Amino acid sequence: MTTSRIGICQGQSPVASASTATATADAALIDPASDVSTSLPAPCAGLALSGDPGAELAVLAVRSGEVERNDARVERDADLAIEISEGNLEVADMRQKADDIGTAALDDGLGMMAKGAGDIGAGLSSRQAGALDQGAGTAAQGGLSILSGGYKAAEATDDANATQCKTAADTAQHAADDMHDASKNASDYITAALDFFREYVSTQSLSRNAALHRA
Amino acid sequence: MTSPIGPSTPASAALIATGDSCSPLGETGLLPDPTAQLSGAALNDAMGALYLSLSQQRQLSMQSGEASVRADQALHDQQLADETAALQRQLANEAENGRGFFGSIGHLFDDMAQDVADGHLSSLFGDISRDADQAWNSPAFWSDLEKGALAVAKVALAVGAVAATVATAGAGGVLVAGAAVALSAGGTAVTETHCFGGASTGVGLSLELGGAALGFAGGLAAVGAGTGSRVIAAVGAGCTVAGGGAEAVAGGAHIRNGDFAVQAQDAAADAEQANLGASQLQTIAEWVVDELKASDKTQQRAEESLTGAMQTNDQAAVSAASISLRG
């Protein structure tokens, strides 16, 4: 349920809607040929080659931030997918351990019952036949103990595997957090570039107005 | 991607349609025709439409994000509830949980005595059935039963072995049997206490084999034992049968205890799965909130930029008008 809700395995970003909204808002300075879909045209698409140094700088900064942010989000989603996958493996190992516990207990219990049956036979029959019964019971218990030992060893292996998967999941989670921070930093960078461009255009307009007034 | 800013928005259509050079919405989009000559008023109209669209988009993004976070929160709560239920199931299947062997037996007799004393014979079978069911589902009952049955089996088998040896070897057999039992008991003690470190298993096994061999030799030497020893032999056989039965019971209880352990481990796996799911959903909700904040901030700045542009446009128009008046 969790995996399907998150949708990571289907290649969907869990935060796709928010990302798209952010991308749309920034679209004014982004190349129209990029993969960012928007309902609006890109009025500043020509800014990169406008010859205006401030505009070119702003466009380059926004494009760079956008690429960095998209990369960080892709990597973050990949890390989250790894975390989910490793978590599922950890749970599968725990369930495998449960199976091994059950099988080992069954083998041990059957062995004890076989030994008990042998002892009962020994008590009820003659000395020679009793020794035979007892020996058969003990042999059966020994054989089943060997089987049980194999499953007990598998339990330890399951534990080790589960721990390994948990460690890998934790590592992936930290990596995803780091990438999310990187994505936020890239967003801040884009915002700073947009602020710079706004101030730049505003200053230009004020200068022109002042020149107009002087004229 | 389908834009949240739909061309069917009446307010946008009205604003854009009033622009001097704007095309009707749905033909060329939200913005005016770039090839047409734009007056200051048309520019303001276009930017006003853009502002309205951005504002609507901001609102829609926020609503969509809130819905997503609410859905995540509901799933998160469900996962936490699942985790709690799984942990309770795990606890219920731990070996210490439930009424123990003597507690179950005592409770059964208590209920029976109560029913008989109160004259509620009709509820007697119901109480017996309920108590039996509780005992069947009580891990502590089966754990106690296994431990007790194993202890009984060890004692009974040891007594049976001694009795059998004494019965067949007479007075001398007592010494042989004693030595055999001492060796066997010593082997068991060494195996269980690990007093010889890594070699404990080997030493213990050797001692047990030595005890068994000595007992066997003693048995062979006991040919021709007297009639009186037959009673001891019968007692020994009875103890051996009882010990075997106890061991078989312990085996059955061990299987049942294994079943409880399996259920506890499965419940632990369920709890871990729910815990992981809740943690991942929480992480995703935090990411969505972070990106919503960033998106909202960006859109707010875009709106501010548009407002600034409109003001600049107005100022330019005022300047142009004042110049023409002065001219």
Side-chain angles (χ1 to χ4, degrees):
Chain A
M1 179 181 67
T2 305
T3 309
S4 62
R5 170 64 186 86
I6 293 168
I8 293 297
C9 294
Q10 286 77 37
Q12 300 166 348
S13 170
V15 285
S17 59
S19 305
T20 308
T22 311
T24 307
D26 295 341
L29 285 175
I30 294 171
D31 193 327
S34 71
D35 58 350
V36 178
S37 305
T38 171
S39 62
L40 298 176
C44 301
L47 283 178
L49 301 171
S50 66
D52 182 346
E56 288 181 359
L57 185 64
V59 170
L60 284 176
V62 168
R63 280 180 180 168
S64 158
E66 182 70 16
V67 168
E68 197 179 326
R69 185 172 64 185
N70 286 343
D71 288 349
R73 282 176 179 164
V74 167
E75 196 163 339
R76 179 195 66 186
D77 290 351
D79 285 333
L80 182 61
I82 291 172
E83 182 192 344
I84 291 170
S85 166
E86 293 292 340
N88 289 338
L89 287 176
E90 180 198 351
V91 172
D93 284 330
M94 292 176 77
R95 295 197 192 287
Q96 180 60 46
K97 184 186 174 188
D99 287 346
D100 291 337
I101 287 174
T103 312
L106 184 65
D107 288 344
D108 275 340
L110 288 176
M112 290 162 78
M113 291 169 86
K115 171 94 173 14
D119 288 336
I120 291 172
L124 294 177
S125 45
S126 67
R127 186 166 186 80
Q128 286 79 10
L132 197 62
D133 289 343
Q134 220 162 12
T138 306
Q141 187 185 30
L144 287 165
S145 289
I146 291 171
L147 282 178
S148 163
Y151 285 106
K152 282 174 183 164
E155 285 174 33
T157 308
D158 295 334
D159 272 340
N161 288 341
T163 305
Q164 191 177 15
C165 290
K166 186 169 181 56
T167 306
D170 288 345
T171 306
Q173 186 189 10
H174 290 139
D177 286 342
D178 287 346
M179 284 301 109
H180 181 64
D181 288 342
S183 162
K184 278 162 67 175
N185 290 339
S187 290
D188 290 343
Y189 181 66
I190 291 170
T191 305
L194 291 172
D195 284 347
F196 159 74
F197 185 63
R198 190 175 57 179
E199 291 296 323
Y200 179 75
V201 171
S202 173
T203 308
Q204 269 186 337
S205 299
L206 288 174
S207 304
R208 282 176 191 154
N209 273 347
L212 200 59
H213 276 294
R214 278 199 298 273
Chain B
M1 187 197 85
T2 307
S3 167
I5 310 168
S8 59
T9 311
S12 309
L15 268 173
I16 290 171
T18 55
D20 294 340
S21 309
C22 288
S23 306
L25 195 62
E27 290 181 9
T28 57
L30 290 168
L31 291 180
D33 181 6
T35 59
Q37 285 292 104
L38 290 179
S39 68
L43 262 180
N44 265 355
D45 285 343
M47 285 194 286
L50 190 57
Y51 185 91
L52 184 65
S53 300
L54 278 175
S55 178
Q56 285 176 339
Q57 185 188 0
R58 185 180 169 193
Q59 202 174 355
L60 286 172
S61 298
M62 192 57 70
Q63 285 172 353
S64 162
E66 281 175 4
S68 173
V69 169
R70 268 199 297 272
D72 279 350
Q73 186 63 42
L75 279 174
H76 180 259
D77 291 346
Q78 180 60 44
Q79 296 281 0
L80 286 183
D82 289 349
E83 183 183 3
T84 306
L87 286 174
Q88 283 172 347
R89 209 152 30 90
Q90 182 185 1
L91 193 65
N93 285 290
E94 297 285 353
E96 299 81 19
N97 193 270
R99 208 175 267 135
F101 180 77
F102 290 110
S104 296
I105 300 292
H107 191 252
L108 173 66
F109 283 116
D110 187 43
D111 278 350
M112 289 169 66
Q114 192 77 34
D115 286 336
V116 171
D118 295 343
H120 297 151
L121 294 179
S122 56
S123 59
L124 180 64
F125 291 107
D127 284 342
I128 291 173
S129 169
R130 193 190 64 233
D131 289 342
D133 189 54
Q134 284 176 354
W136 174 259
N137 291 307
S138 167
F141 173 84
W142 292 98
S143 178
D144 287 353
L145 181 61
E146 182 184 351
K147 287 175 191 165
L150 273 179
V152 168
K154 280 184 182 176
V155 172
L157 288 173
V159 171
V162 170
T165 307
V166 168
T168 51
V174 174
L175 291 175
V176 176
V181 168
L183 281 174
S184 295
T188 304
V190 166
T191 305
E192 290 186 358
T193 58
H194 298 284
C195 55
F196 285 99
S200 297
T201 306
V203 172
L205 187 63
S206 302
L207 287 174
E208 285 182 9
L209 285 174
L214 194 58
F216 182 68
L220 287 179
V223 178
T227 309
S229 62
R230 283 179 191 158
V231 176
I232 300 175
V235 170
C239 285
T240 304
V241 170
E247 200 161 19
V249 168
H254 187 77
I255 293 174
R256 181 70 179 140
N257 282 326
D259 192 33
F260 285 122
V262 168
Q263 290 179 37
Q265 178 66 20
D266 264 338
D270 288 344
E272 179 68 9
Q273 189 172 29
N275 181 35
L276 287 172
S279 164
Q280 285 152 4
L281 282 168
Q282 187 176 358
T283 302
I284 288 171
E286 285 171 2
W287 290 355
V288 169
V289 169
D290 281 349
E291 298 206 348
L292 268 180
K293 282 181 187 170
S295 166
D296 192 58
K297 199 169 149 188
T298 308
Q299 288 174 344
Q300 186 185 4
R301 282 163 191 269
E303 288 175 6
E304 287 170 5
S305 297
L306 266 179
T307 309
M310 290 166 79
Q311 285 171 353
T312 305
N313 188 35
D314 289 344
Q315 285 169 4
V318 168
S319 299
S322 66
I323 288 167
S324 64
L325 280 175
R326 276 185 291 175

